């Protein structure tokens, strides 16, 4: 029954034929080589699964169609391939028109995100619309009306995926970073997890007024992971395609102005306890020499109870990135986070 199907993102559950394994809906990404003449044959292809079709431009009658499930066994003509259709579209294409939820362009295969000059100073302004959040515009750091704008960010919650410590949060201590940068508070440990603001593309005017696209959040969550987490000695980047989308959290009860999309990230316990553990590299500008340096921060597993105990004994020991999740306004999304972590078996 339709009512028994829980709310979900079909694109997170597609099989090899572009069918959602939860609700059964079809989710092809169809493009065509129509030249706009209004006549002749038009070839179509799904850039996800590779199925193709062909029809007449003037009547829209199909010669064959591998995507609609109907029988076109009578057709004995030429069938095109996805590559043949895609090759006609690639020259000078706009990646934004063909982007997947992870930010990958289906035409050229590159992960694209266009940033104008000084885009790291620009953020997406977002506002709530019922249960969703819309992009309302752009804001630059330092703007006089910045305090009236909520900005978009992402947070990744790593957790131990299996074993005796299954479900524990994986955090890192920022104390070495404080010492390296000469922070006045360089004696207190602070538990932290990966997070970052979503830099805005001011040319993406088509996003204004629309719900925040998950591919945008996933793109920056992946960036937060890939730019910070690496394995020592081998210098391999930790790349985990299993970022689990949770939902939006806010920090208005702390007087904040951030709308934060939360992802959970499963990790193996051996990844943080082996002789060559994955670590976090936090960068900072050494003002004395004017160069960028990196500080190695090691991972540690903490249960929710342990983190809350640290916070209650000294709130400075747990970052706002973590403690904001415990605000009453985030009860629903935090509950979903804990449920997904507890039931994860991938």
């Amino acid at each position: 029954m339709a009512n028994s199907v829980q709310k979900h993102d079909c694109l997170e559950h597609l099989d090899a034929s572009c069918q959602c394994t939860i609700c059964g809906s079809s989710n092809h990404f169809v493009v065509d080589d129509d030249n706009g003449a209004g006549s002749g044959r038009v070839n179509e292809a799904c850039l996800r699964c590779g199925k193709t079709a062909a029809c007449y431009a003037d009547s829209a009658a199909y010669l064959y169609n591998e995507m609609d499930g109907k029988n076109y066994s009578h057709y004995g003509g030429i069938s095109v391939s996805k590559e043949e259709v895609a090759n006609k579209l690639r020259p000078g294409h706009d990646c934004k028109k063909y982007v997947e939820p992870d930010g990958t362009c289906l035409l050229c295969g590159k992960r694209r995100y266009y940033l104008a000059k000084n885009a790291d100073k620009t953020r997406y302004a977002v506002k709530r619309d019922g249960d969703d959040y819309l992009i309302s515009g752009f804001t630059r750091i330092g703007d006089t009306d910045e305090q009236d704008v909520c900005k978009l960010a992402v947070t990744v919650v790593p957790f131990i995926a299996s074993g005796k410590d299954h479900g524990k949060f994986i955090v890192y201590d920022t104390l070495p970073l404080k010492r390296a940068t000469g922070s006045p508070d360089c004696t207190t440990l602070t538990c932290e997890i990966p997070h970052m603001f979503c830099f805005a593309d001011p040319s993406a005017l088509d996003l204004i007024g629309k719900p925040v696209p998950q591919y945008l959040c996933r793109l920056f969550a992946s960036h937060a992971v890939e730019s910070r987490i690496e394995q020592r000695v081998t210098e391999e980047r930790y790349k985990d395609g299993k970022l689990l989308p949770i939902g939006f959290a806010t920090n208005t009860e702390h007087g904040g102005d951030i709308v934060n999309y939360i992802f959970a990230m499963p990790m193996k316990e051996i990844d943080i306890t082996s002789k060559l553990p994955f670590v976090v590299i936090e960068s900072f500008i050494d003002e004395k020499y004017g160069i960028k340096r990196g500080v190695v921060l090691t991972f540690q597993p903490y249960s929710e109870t342990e983190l809350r105990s640290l916070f209650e004994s000294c709130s400075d020991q747990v970052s706002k990135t973590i403690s904001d999740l415990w605000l009453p306004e985030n009860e629903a999304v935090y509950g979903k986070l804990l449920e997904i972590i507890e039931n994860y078996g991938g």
Side-chain angles (χ1 to χ4, degrees):
M1 295 176 60
N3 291 338
S4 65
V5 178
Q6 64 184 43
K7 186 177 180 181
H8 65 283
D9 183 349
C10 290
L11 299 187
E12 296 287 330
H13 305 278
L14 296 186
D15 62 17
S17 297
C18 291
Q19 302 296 308
C20 175
T21 57
I22 301 239
C23 66
S25 65
S26 178
N27 292 268
H28 294 294
F29 196 116
V30 181
V31 296
D32 62 62
D33 60 4
D34 189 355
N35 61 11
S39 62
R41 170 172 166 153
V42 174
N43 297 303
E44 299 178 348
C46 173
L47 294 181
R48 290 194 179 114
C49 68
K51 291 182 178 180
T52 61
C55 64
Y56 292 114
D58 51 358
S59 66
Y62 276 92
L63 298 168
Y64 79 97
N65 190 343
E66 297 174 344
M67 291 174 273
D68 66 3
K70 296 180 181 179
N71 185 4
Y72 290 86
S73 58
H74 62 279
Y75 178 68
I78 298 174
S79 299
V80 298
S81 68
K82 180 191 80 171
E83 279 302 306
E84 288 177 280
V85 177
N87 284 341
K88 295 182 179 180
L89 301 175
R90 284 196 184 104
H93 73 279
D94 182 355
C95 287
K96 293 178 188 176
K97 296 180 180 179
Y98 308 99
V99 71
E100 275 287 67
D102 66 353
T104 301
C105 174
L106 286 169
L107 272 184
C108 64
K110 295 180 180 179
R111 178 169 286 179
R112 296 281 189 174
Y113 190 72
Y114 294 92
L115 296 176
K117 187 178 180 180
N118 296 323
D120 59 334
K121 305 293 185 182
T122 309
R123 306 284 188 260
Y124 285 105
V126 293
K127 64 179 181 180
R128 187 160 191 164
D129 181 36
D131 294 330
D132 215 335
Y133 285 89
L134 307 181
I135 293 179
S136 58
F138 312 101
T139 180
R140 287 182 58 81
I141 295 176
D143 284 354
T144 55
D145 60 347
E146 183 184 358
Q147 68 273 14
D148 299 323
V149 173
C150 284
K151 294 173 284 294
L152 183 63
V154 292
T155 291
V156 179
V157 183
F159 68 94
I160 296 178
S162 61
K164 61 181 178 63
D165 286 328
H166 172 247
K168 283 190 175 182
F169 288 13
I170 299 174
V171 304
Y172 54 90
D173 178 15
T174 62
L175 185 56
L177 179 63
K178 293 178 183 178
R179 289 173 176 163
T181 56
S183 169
D185 178 22
C186 60
T187 59
T188 304
L189 70 88
T190 302
C191 296
E192 184 61 279
I193 52 180
H195 64 100
M196 71 179 300
F197 281 103
C198 298
F199 303 153
D201 176 5
S203 69
L205 298 177
D206 55 317
L207 292 179
I208 296 179
K210 296 181 180 178
V212 175
Q214 192 178 106
Y215 82 80
L216 188 67
C217 299
R218 183 178 290 275
L219 182 66
F220 281 98
S222 296
H223 181 64
V225 171
E226 293 175 8
S227 65
R228 290 192 176 130
I229 301 178
E230 68 177 34
Q231 186 173 355
R232 300 297 291 164
V233 182
T234 61
E235 296 184 353
E236 294 179 3
R237 296 291 182 181
Y238 185 95
K239 295 183 179 180
D240 194 320
K242 295 181 179 178
L243 285 175
L244 309 175
I246 307 299
F248 290 103
T250 54
N251 62 350
T252 57
E253 291 183 36
H254 279 172
D257 57 357
I258 298 174
V259 173
N260 206 5
Y261 198 92
I262 311 300
F263 290 88
M265 187 180 79
M267 293 183 72
K268 299 176 182 178
E269 187 170 8
I270 194 173
D271 288 339
I272 64 169
T273 58
S274 67
K275 292 183 179 179
L276 297 177
F278 280 104
V279 296
V280 169
I281 304 297
E282 285 282 10
S283 299
F284 70 99
I285 300 298
D286 187 331
E287 295 183 357
K288 181 178 180 180
Y289 297 98
I291 60 176
K292 188 176 182 180
R293 297 187 183 276
V295 178
V296 177
L297 308 175
T298 57
F299 281 121
Q300 295 291 332
Y302 278 84
S303 67
E304 182 200 20
T305 301
E306 291 170 327
L307 287 174
R308 286 185 182 267
S309 178
L310 280 175
F311 183 74
E312 290 170 1
S313 62
C314 175
S315 62
D316 290 339
Q317 294 184 108
V318 177
S319 72
K320 284 176 59 63
T321 308
I322 298 173
S323 62
D324 280 350
L325 293 173
W326 301 333
L327 292 172
E329 65 192 81
N330 296 321
E331 182 178 359
V333 71
Y334 188 65
K336 181 180 177 182
L337 171 66
L338 295 182
E339 181 181 1
I340 287 179
I341 291 176
E342 181 180 353
N343 296 325
Y344 180 79

